[in-house]
Amino acid sequence: VLLEPQPANPPPGMPAIVDEISNKRSINVAMVGMLSVYLDLPEQLWLEAVRASLPENLWPVNLEAFQMGRRQGLARRRTEAQ
């Protein structure tokens, strides 16, 4: 059985990140940043994982993407708590 692809509904805040991010291939790291808000792991571990997964020359853009996603995740979490 083949399923027709359906457009994904991005989480609130993600369209803004997509517009602002300097390297579109880093969107997945921004999503990890959003996810990091919801999982009980220290932020430092997430950052170490990003560094361990990528060549050093890609760290700046991907760490920036992670932080953008994390900020959006924190904002969303505050909204959910209200």
Side-chain angles (χ1 to χ4, degrees):
V1 173
L2 294 176
L3 300 175
E4 289 292 321
Q6 299 295 316
N9 293 323
M14 187 49 68
I17 291 173
V18 170
D19 291 340
E20 294 175 23
I21 203 162
S22 60
N23 185 337
K24 302 300 184 219
R25 291 181 287 179
S26 299
I27 292 171
N28 58 336
V29 178
M31 293 293 292
V32 169
M34 291 183 90
L35 175 67
S36 73
V37 173
Y38 294 91
L39 298 178
D40 190 25
L41 293 170
E43 181 179 358
Q44 189 59 37
L45 289 178
W46 292 99
L47 297 174
E48 289 173 16
V50 170
R51 286 187 194 99
S53 301
L54 298 165
E56 190 172 347
N57 64 315
L58 297 177
W59 290 358
V61 69
N62 283 283
L63 293 173
E64 176 188 352
F66 177 89
Q67 292 300 336
M68 290 172 75
R70 188 163 173 88
R71 283 192 298 274
Q72 288 293 332
L74 288 168
R76 182 176 181 188
R77 194 140 193 219
R78 281 192 293 274
T79 302
E80 291 170 351
Q82 295 175 352

